[in-house]
């Protein structure tokens, strides 16, 4: 009995790599304008192309401090999904209806991705807020990182 159990455990441990899951990730970025008077642009962006970061990466050291010479046009992509969102401000101030509408659109995207097998893994946000007179900048940026088990291609 012990020999059978040992052989079974050995077989399972040697084949664990067959059961290892590899994930793929997808980022959805939401940019919401907080520029007064509704002058900003708010969008939800997700890519339809991929890029290999290694093609645009260089290693720098004391011995070799040369800069990365990647051409920006090679990094840019033309195929992405752009969903219009409403701005947080209009001429009357904060528009809570706009915030609720944006929430509904973003939730719709999250639900659609969940139906496609994506799981929300991380959320990261940042803000560059209006800093007073003379500062015309202000945005909220939220990145939703999704993951799903990568399909093995045969």
């Amino acid at each position: 009995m012990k020999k059978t159990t040992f052989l079974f455990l050995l077989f399972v441990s040697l084949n664990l790599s067959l059961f290892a899951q590899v994930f793929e990730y997808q980022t959805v970025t939401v940019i919401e304008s907080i520029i007064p008077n509704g002058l900003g642009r708010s969008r939800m962006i997700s890519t339809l192309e991929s890029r290999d970061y290694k093609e645009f990466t260089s290693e720098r050291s004391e011995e070799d401090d040369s800069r990365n010479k990647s051409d920006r046009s090679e990094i840019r992509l033309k195929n992405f999904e752009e969903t219009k969102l409403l701005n947080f401000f209009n001429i009357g101030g904060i528009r809570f209806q706009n915030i609720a509408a944006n929430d509904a659109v973003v939730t719709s995207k999250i639900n659609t991705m969940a139906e496609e097998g994506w799981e929300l893994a991380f959320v990261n946000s940042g803000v560059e807020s209006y800093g007073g007179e003379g500062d015309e900048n202000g945005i909220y940026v939220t990145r939703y990182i999704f993951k799903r088990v990568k399909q093995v291609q045969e």
Side-chain angles (χ1 to χ4, degrees):
M1 182 69 167
K2 287 184 181 183
K3 196 176 205 181
T4 306
T5 305
F6 174 76
L7 288 174
F8 175 75
L9 291 174
L10 180 63
F11 175 76
V12 169
S13 65
L14 291 175
N15 289 300
L16 280 179
S17 63
L18 294 176
F19 302 107
Q21 292 183 331
V22 177
F23 294 99
E24 61 180 327
Y25 293 86
Q26 176 71 31
T27 302
V28 174
T29 301
V30 174
I31 301 139
E32 295 173 289
S33 172
I34 54 175
I35 296 175
N37 302 323
L39 297 175
R41 292 178 18 197
S42 298
R43 299 287 188 272
M44 179 169 49
I45 306 293
S46 56
T47 183
L48 300 173
E49 291 181 43
S50 62
R51 290 287 185 266
D52 183 353
Y53 81 96
K54 294 174 189 172
E55 293 179 23
F56 314 109
T57 302
S58 61
E59 292 184 17
R60 296 175 74 168
S61 65
E62 270 187 52
E63 294 81 33
D64 182 11
D65 195 28
S66 56
R67 293 181 49 211
N68 187 315
K69 301 291 185 190
S70 296
D71 187 349
R72 292 177 187 269
S73 66
E74 294 173 4
I75 300 171
R76 281 193 187 87
L77 53 83
K78 304 267 186 205
N79 298 316
F80 61 94
E81 195 175 69
E82 179 180 325
T83 305
K84 187 169 186 172
L85 298 173
L86 301 174
N87 297 329
F88 280 3
F89 284 102
N90 71 2
I91 237 158
I94 296 174
R95 292 288 297 177
F96 295 106
Q97 288 174 316
N98 290 4
I99 294 168
N102 288 357
D103 288 350
V105 172
V106 171
T107 299
S108 172
K109 176 70 172 179
I110 291 170
N111 287 335
T112 298
M113 292 193 71
E115 290 168 6
E116 294 170 354
W118 294 97
E119 175 187 340
L120 183 60
F122 309 99
V123 178
N124 186 12
S125 62
V127 64
E128 199 312 327
S129 62
Y130 180 68
E133 191 173 329
D135 184 357
E136 296 296 321
N137 298 312
I139 58 170
Y140 280 108
V141 176
T142 307
R143 287 214 161 101
Y144 299 88
I145 312 295
F146 294 86
K147 72 176 183 178
R148 72 177 172 190
V149 175
K150 190 170 187 169
Q151 303 301 318
V152 178
Q153 297 174 350
E154 297 177 30

